[in-house]
Amino acid sequence: MTSEEERDLAKKAKTDPEAFGRLYDQYYSRIFGYVLKRTGNLETSQDVVSETFLKALKNVRKFQWQSFFGRKPMFGAWLYRIASNEIANFFRKKKPTISLNSVLDPVFEKDLFGEVVAAEQRLKDCQDFLCIQKEIMTLPEKYQQVLVLRFFEKKQIKEIAEILGKREGTVKSLIHRGLKYLKAKMPPT
C-alpha cells in the first residue's frame, strides 16, 4: 500500500468501519508479531493486540496526517506507538511470563531423523531467543522498544524514530546504549 493510499484509507476510516477493517487486515500480523516478541506470551499478546486495535478504533478520528520531524506520518507507526504503550501498561500491571509452548510451532516432516534435527534446531533457536528476550525485558523500556523494533521487527532507524516520536540520532544512541547494556548482561558463550 502506498503512502497516499494509506492516507486516504486512514481518512475514510474516521467514518467508515470497512476502511478501518482494511487497515486492521494490513497491520494485524505485524503488530501481533511485534507484541509477541516483546511479551513472549501468546495469550498476553492476543490481549495486548486486541486492546491496541480497540484503542485505535476508538481514537481513529483523532489520528492526523501531519509531518513529524519533516517525515510523512504513517498509520502503522501510530499503531506501533499504541501497541508500545499497551505493552508498557501491561507490564506495569502484571509480572511478565514466558511460555516456551507459545513460541514453538510443531515441526511436520516425513523423515524422523530430519524431524528430530529440525526440532532440536528450533528448540535451540527458541532458547536463544528466550534468553535474549529475558535479558531485553530487564532493560529500561526505552531500550526494549528500540532493540525489538530494530532487530526483531527489522525496522529501519527512520521508521523507529517515527514510531517512537524521536529523532533518528536519539534512536541510534538508544540502540547503541541498549546493546551495550544487553551485552554486559548476557552470560558468556
Side-chain angles (χ1 to χ4, degrees):
M1 176 180 314
T2 67
S3 179
E4 289 76 28
E5 291 171 334
E6 185 176 332
R7 185 186 67 228
D8 292 342
L9 203 52
K11 284 181 183 178
K12 288 179 187 174
K14 293 180 180 197
T15 57
D16 181 4
E18 186 177 318
F20 185 84
R22 288 181 54 205
L23 289 167
Y24 173 90
D25 291 341
Q26 177 78 22
Y27 285 102
Y28 180 84
S29 61
R30 292 186 226 171
I31 298 298
F32 185 83
Y34 169 64
V35 173
L36 181 60
K37 289 171 185 131
R38 288 284 313 278
T39 64
N41 183 280
L42 183 62
E43 293 82 18
T44 299
S45 298
Q46 290 169 331
D47 292 344
V48 169
V49 172
S50 293
E51 193 62 31
T52 297
F53 279 99
L54 180 63
K55 285 197 175 176
L57 180 61
K58 286 181 179 179
N59 294 299
V60 71
R61 292 175 191 227
K62 296 177 186 176
F63 176 75
Q64 294 186 6
W65 201 270
Q66 297 175 341
S67 291
F68 184 72
F69 293 131
R71 292 186 296 271
K72 294 180 182 178
M74 294 181 60
F75 192 80
W78 185 61
L79 289 174
Y80 274 99
R81 200 169 310 130
I82 294 170
S84 292
N85 291 337
E86 288 305 307
I87 292 166
N89 289 340
F90 171 79
F91 284 125
R92 273 193 287 273
K93 294 176 189 174
K94 287 191 163 193
K95 184 80 176 154
T97 59
I98 298 174
S99 168
L100 184 59
N101 292 334
S102 69
V103 179
L104 293 175
D105 290 328
V107 178
F108 295 105
E109 293 186 32
K110 294 178 184 175
D111 177 338
L112 183 58
F113 179 73
E115 182 177 326
V116 170
V117 170
E120 287 174 351
Q121 183 59 46
R122 284 194 57 103
L123 181 59
K124 183 189 178 310
D125 291 347
C126 288
Q127 287 171 334
D128 291 347
F129 169 77
L130 291 174
C131 178
I132 292 169
Q133 184 200 34
K134 180 180 175 186
E135 294 302 328
I136 287 174
M137 290 173 66
T138 66
L139 296 175
E141 177 75 18
K142 60 186 177 182
Y143 300 122
Q144 289 181 35
Q145 289 177 332
V146 295
L147 292 176
V148 170
L149 287 168
R150 181 70 175 129
F151 297 106
F152 296 129
E153 291 297 306
K154 307 284 190 230
K155 297 290 183 191
Q156 297 296 317
I157 301 294
K158 181 178 178 180
E159 293 173 294
I160 297 169
E162 187 174 312
I163 289 167
L164 299 178
K166 298 185 184 308
R167 295 191 182 277
E168 289 180 32
T170 303
V171 170
K172 289 177 186 177
S173 177
L174 288 170
I175 290 171
H176 176 74
R177 279 187 254 138
L179 288 173
K180 182 178 172 183
Y181 293 138
L182 186 61
K183 184 178 179 182
K185 290 177 164 280
M186 294 300 291
T189 54

